[in-house]
Amino acid sequence: MKKILITIIFILTYSIVQAQSNRALVNRYIAKAYKVIEKSIDFEQALFFFEKAVKLQGVSVSREMATLGASIYFEVHHKRPTLAEQLRFLEKAKYYSLRYFDLAKNKYSVEYSNNKEIYELISYNMGYLKSKIIREKELKRIDSLKTIWKSKALLLAIKADSLYKFNKYGIAVYENNGFFGIMTDIGEVLLQADEYRNFLSFDGYIILKNQKTNPSKIYAYNSKDKTGFQLPKISDFNVRSTHFGNVMLPRGNGRIVTYPNHSAMPLVYDLNVRKYVRVANQIELLKKLKKSDIIERYNKKGNVKINKVWYNFGGHLGGGMHPMYSEETSVLKGFLCSVVGNFLNTNSDYQFIGTFYKGKFEAIKRGKTFWINRNGAEVSKAKDEADTYLGKSRIVKLENGFYRIIRGDMIVLGKEKLEKMPIFLRKFSKN
């Protein structure tokens, strides 16, 4: 028993001595902290000494330490690199500030008033920082949602160099890498842009050509009934022809006219029934023209004499317009307007004329387009019957070589849809 008492007394004595030693060391560290603040206002160095004092065991926090700790942690929080660290230092400042109020006896002293002022500053800054952290987290969340939206939106973007306007039936031509294709007003590709390098579009028909001039392959698409096909090979029309030559605009009656090489007549094709259009009984037609004094003579070979010159009769374009070719070389020489007997010379008038529809022909003169009537007189431009789009889709060109189709508040591509960004962000916003 005596031995146990001696041991207890020894431990108590050591603890008291150790505590007294630590208190002295604490006082020195606290004194150093005050000194660097007064001398150089270096709160970072003061924090170094203060934390050394706090780490010493067996020493309780005094009012003086609590006041110093609150002040130091409040001052140095400004220099922390992140909001989270700033908040952590303010929480330590608050801890020491509250410790002071636990230890303070005189609530009317200057010291108490100063500490109260510091506490209010700490509380204000903590509130501001917390709201800032919340805002920052929300901004990060929104940025994350924006990134998600952009990834989704990119999947619904259309890669194209050009996306032309939709026609009445919601069909548009698009261009990519010099090739042309066809798509709907929800971005469904009907024909890939990988073969045809030029196009014509009129009255709801789209004509794609494998090259701009003298194409050897033509694809026709009827926007109204959503069907498309490749025209028969040019050799099926004329074994000597190697290309379709000049291609005129398709018209609302479904007919198209081209001028193949090595051919003594134009190619007139009905896109609706997919057949060539030819004169049913050419000799009977020539008889009528001769009887009406529109031509001077004709023969069984299909040659006609006009103004003392013999021509190869080139069939008809509708509306009483008949192409005339050189008898020897099969070169297009002009057009006979059989209604009034006018002859339009390719040298001085028009080089190519399209099919007749609603009182008008398309005519080409030195590379420029004109519109003429059955007499060959120039008239106003024909109206494209499929020009006005009445659907809900809107084309938006993006900066990165993509296009986007918007329908109302949605981005669409085929069956896929995505809300516009503001709606998407609101959809996932916190309540």
Side-chain angles (χ1 to χ4, degrees), residues 237-413:
F237 174 74
N238 185 332
V239 293
R240 296 181 62 241
S241 297
T242 57
H243 58 72
F244 287 91
N246 198 87
V247 181
M248 308 302 288
L249 288 175
R251 301 298 303 280
N253 56 3
R255 293 188 177 183
I256 186 173
V257 176
T258 85
Y259 289 85
N261 63 331
H262 306 305
S263 175
M265 67 172 58
L267 185 158
V268 182
Y269 197 83
D270 192 312
L271 302 174
N272 294 326
V273 297
R274 302 187 186 185
K275 289 183 179 180
Y276 298 111
V277 179
R278 304 180 188 273
V279 176
N281 192 327
Q282 184 167 296
I283 295 299
E284 285 299 317
L285 174 60
L286 296 180
K287 282 183 180 179
K288 291 179 180 179
L289 294 177
K290 172 67 174 64
K291 188 176 181 180
S292 301
D293 293 327
I294 301 300
I295 61 175
E296 296 168 12
R297 292 180 63 186
Y298 70 91
N299 60 31
K300 292 181 180 180
K301 293 182 180 180
N303 304 125
V304 297
K305 190 175 185 180
I306 303 171
N307 298 328
K308 301 180 181 181
V309 178
W310 281 94
Y311 299 96
N312 277 328
F313 186 77
H316 69 89
L317 304 175
M321 188 72 70
H322 305 282
M324 296 293 163
Y325 287 78
S326 166
E327 186 181 18
E328 297 83 12
T329 62
S330 297
V331 173
L332 182 62
K333 289 295 184 177
F335 300 88
L336 174 65
C337 304
S338 63
V339 176
V340 292
N342 288 350
F343 189 85
L344 305 176
N345 194 295
T346 54
N347 291 327
S348 57
D349 297 305
Y350 303 104
Q351 287 74 58
F352 303 101
I353 295 177
T355 191
F356 182 71
Y357 180 66
K358 288 191 174 180
K360 297 181 181 182
F361 297 91
E362 178 201 12
I364 303 297
K365 184 176 183 178
R366 297 183 181 87
K368 294 183 179 182
T369 298
F370 297 86
W371 294 90
I372 60 175
N373 61 18
R374 299 173 71 181
N375 301 331
E378 188 174 336
V379 293
S380 62
K381 181 180 178 180
K383 181 182 179 182
D384 186 342
E385 293 180 349
D387 184 57
T388 304
Y389 175 67
L390 301 175
K392 299 178 180 179
S393 293
R394 181 168 55 88
I395 297 171
V396 176
K397 186 175 182 180
L398 307 179
E399 294 180 356
N400 53 0
F402 286 83
Y403 284 82
R404 184 175 292 155
I405 296 177
I406 306 293
R407 286 175 75 89
D409 291 327
M410 305 293 288
I411 299 169
V412 298
L413 185 64

Side-chain angles (χ1 to χ4, degrees), residues 14-179:
Y14 176 80
S15 298
I16 292 168
V17 171
Q18 184 66 31
Q20 289 175 344
S21 176
N22 284 352
R23 172 54 67 184
L25 193 54
V26 165
N27 290 339
R28 284 201 293 273
Y29 282 136
I30 296 300
K32 287 182 178 181
Y34 273 119
K35 187 174 181 180
V36 295
I37 292 172
E38 291 173 2
K39 185 176 180 180
S40 57
I41 318 177
D42 189 348
F43 283 94
E44 292 287 351
Q45 186 66 21
L47 177 64
F48 173 78
F49 290 125
F50 180 81
E51 289 187 336
K52 276 187 169 293
V54 171
K55 288 178 181 178
L56 291 171
Q57 296 180 354
V59 177
S60 60
V61 175
S62 63
R63 289 198 338 270
E64 183 183 39
M65 284 182 67
T67 300
L68 183 61
S71 298
I72 290 175
Y73 279 109
F74 175 75
E75 293 297 336
V76 298
H77 94 272
H78 297 291
K79 297 182 179 180
R80 299 305 95 174
T82 65
L83 296 178
E85 285 188 83
Q86 290 176 31
L87 184 60
R88 183 166 61 84
F89 272 74
L90 282 175
E91 286 171 346
K92 285 191 175 184
K94 183 178 180 180
Y95 166 77
Y96 284 108
S97 186
L98 292 174
R99 286 292 294 131
Y100 169 81
F101 294 121
D102 290 339
L103 298 170
K105 303 298 182 183
N106 186 358
K107 295 183 180 181
Y108 302 101
S109 66
V110 174
E111 181 186 82
Y112 190 94
S113 179
N114 289 340
N115 273 275
K116 187 176 180 182
E117 192 173 311
I118 291 173
Y119 178 78
E120 288 173 353
L121 283 171
I122 293 168
S123 298
Y124 173 81
N125 278 266
M126 284 185 72
Y128 172 77
L129 269 184
K130 285 179 179 179
S131 63
K132 193 172 182 180
I133 288 171
I134 290 171
R135 287 198 303 273
E136 189 177 74
K137 286 182 178 179
E138 179 62 12
L139 287 174
K140 286 181 179 179
R141 190 184 71 84
I142 290 173
D143 285 342
S144 178
L145 286 173
K146 284 181 178 179
T147 300
I148 293 171
W149 183 89
K150 287 176 182 178
S151 298
K152 288 178 177 287
L154 186 59
L155 294 175
L156 302 186
I158 298 166
K159 182 68 176 74
D161 298 324
S162 298
L163 177 54
Y164 295 83
K165 68 177 185 177
F166 299 116
N167 64 20
K168 176 182 177 180
Y169 305 104
I171 304 297
V173 173
Y174 75 99
E175 180 184 3
N176 205 13
N177 297 323
F179 293 95

